[in-house]
Amino acid sequence: MSRSPPRHGLQAMSTPTADSYRAAGVDIDAGNRAVALLAESVVSTRTPNVLSGPGGFGGMYSAAGLGTDSVLVASTDGVGTKAELAGRYGCWRGIGVDLVNHCIGDIVVHGARPLFFLDYIAMGRLEPEVVAEIVAGMADACRGAGCALLGGETAEMPGTYVPEAIDVVGTIVGAARKDRLWPRPEVVRAGDALVGVASSGPHTNGFSLIRRLLDERPAAADADLIEALLVPHRSYLPTVSEMTAAGIEPKALAHITGGGLFDNLPRVLPDRLGARIDLGTWKVPELFARLVDWGGLADSEAFRVWNMGIGLVAVVDEADAEVLGRQGHCVIGSVVDVAAPDAGTVMLEGSWR
């Protein structure tokens, strides 16, 4: 069911069709109630560029003011199985924040500023209050980024999802100047510094393993650990804005998502260049240490499953690295020549223990 409210009077009607549909597992009235509950959150994110009001089939956004040299940058992602853990503890609002900020991270690394966001929430049995809480979290993150929550969809899908299951997905669209798109592989050189920006936890990645480890040690899952695991994905938009305000133009930025440092750094490095990560240059948060110990994981796996405390990496020259250091970030390694790319382009050195 779409997020458009029903025409006046329809939601109060009781018909054999509606009763039959409800018996089949889809409650139209519950969907209408969900729309009513989340309406205030959506309206709170409205920006001057939003042209559409509630009730339309599509959201409208003015392109005026973007400039002829602007490029639209878009990304779609979800929160994965973190939603299941959030459901265990009733922490739904953070899931909405997770979704928006993850998507912001995926476009801000290209130099884009967020314009608008669209979401999709699907479940086996619709719970209006849960939907409203998730959307409220999305609205929180959107307002913080100056981004409009332009529209969305809620789907009740019995038979496709078990009653307790929920899937939360979103799409973001932003704009960047064509002459300031990142990465800029042509200027990346061996010897460039890799500056790490701290994450706020696992973000939305690696939760299938996290949940398995928690299930194997339920007595060890104390409240502090659960709270740390469910801290929402931080937004890297303010950090990138601080960089550019300080006159720093990164050569590349990598959002450390699924695949960790191993899989995400190579996405922004040119051929024949790799990354040396100096373990011990930042303090790995205790929650990751506990998970690694519980799973008996080697560094090669841990740093691929989780971000291990680094959520964003900037490729900059040494002088810019000093400026970023004064902003509270740390140099975690450097760009290096790689003679044999098949051997791997990200190398871990030292120990983080």
Side-chain angles (χ1 to χ4, degrees):
M1 61 196 66
S2 71
R3 294 285 170 74
S4 303
R7 286 179 291 175
H8 180 71
L10 276 182
Q11 69 187 76
M13 294 175 63
S14 178
T15 67
T17 302
D19 291 340
S20 298
Y21 206 16
R22 186 180 297 111
V26 179
D27 190 337
I28 295 176
D29 291 337
N32 293 337
R33 188 157 64 89
V35 172
L37 287 172
L38 59 84
E40 184 177 347
S41 293
V42 174
V43 170
S44 73
T45 71
R46 188 180 178 91
T47 68
N49 290 76
V50 177
L51 303 179
S52 53
F57 289 99
M60 296 178 233
Y61 192 92
S62 172
L66 294 184
T68 57
D69 63 343
S70 290
V71 175
L72 294 180
V73 183
S75 181
T76 296
D77 220 307
V79 298
T81 61
K82 186 175 184 178
E84 195 278 338
L85 189 64
R88 295 186 193 182
Y89 298 95
C91 299
W92 291 115
R93 197 177 187 112
I95 290 296
V97 178
D98 273 315
L99 181 64
V100 174
N101 284 347
H102 183 117
C103 289
I104 287 174
D106 281 350
I107 66 168
V108 76
V109 296
H110 292 296
R113 69 182 190 279
L115 298 176
F116 59 86
F117 190 81
L118 302 158
D119 71 272
Y120 175 79
I121 301 175
M123 58 188 69
R125 183 181 62 243
L126 184 60
E127 297 183 43
E129 288 76 16
V130 169
V131 174
E133 192 70 4
I134 294 172
V135 173
M138 295 179 197
D140 291 342
C142 283
R143 286 194 305 273
C147 175
L149 183 51
L150 195 60
E153 169 77 358
T154 300
E156 186 171 31
M157 301 170 63
T160 299
Y161 293 92
V162 298
E164 298 79 15
I166 186 166
D167 197 12
V168 185
V169 180
T171 295
I172 197 166
V173 175
R177 280 177 40 183
K178 190 175 182 180
D179 61 349
R180 295 191 59 184
L181 289 171
W182 302 321
R184 298 179 291 147
E186 70 280 0
V187 299
V188 178
R189 302 283 185 271
D192 284 341
L194 301 176
V195 177
V197 179
S199 69
S200 54
H203 289 170
T204 61
N205 301 112
F207 274 87
S208 292
L209 178 55
I210 288 171
R211 290 184 301 110
R212 196 198 82 189
L213 294 173
L214 291 175
D215 289 343
E216 291 174 349
R217 295 168 176 78
D222 56 68
D224 289 343
L225 176 62
I226 297 302
E227 182 179 357
L229 290 171
L230 290 176
V231 168
H233 194 306
R234 69 175 293 189
S235 172
Y236 293 105
L237 180 61
T239 300
V240 175
S241 297
E242 288 174 7
M243 289 183 187
T244 56
I248 296 172
E249 187 77 12
K251 299 182 179 184
L253 290 169
H255 187 197
I256 309 305
T257 60
L261 292 166
F262 280 110
D263 287 357
N264 289 290
L265 275 175
R267 298 167 69 175
V268 300
L269 298 176
D271 293 341
R272 297 288 171 179
L273 289 179
R276 187 193 73 243
I277 303 298
D278 298 321
L279 301 180
T281 52
W282 78 95
K283 180 173 175 55
V284 173
E286 177 61 26
L287 73 91
F288 290 112
R290 290 176 68 177
L291 294 171
V292 169
D293 289 343
W294 288 355
L297 305 183
D299 286 352
S300 58
E301 184 172 13
F303 281 82
R304 195 175 190 192
V305 174
W306 300 304
N307 62 58
M308 297 297 282
I310 298 295
L312 187 79
V313 175
V315 181
V316 297
D317 61 33
E318 291 184 1
D320 286 341
E322 293 180 5
V323 176
L324 292 176
R326 292 195 290 272
Q327 291 182 351
H329 311 302
C330 63
V331 176
I332 64 169
S334 61
V335 177
V336 296
D337 289 307
V338 178
D342 290 343
T345 55
V346 176
M347 293 144 279
L348 304 180
E349 295 194 358
S351 173
W352 56 276
R353 295 288 190 172

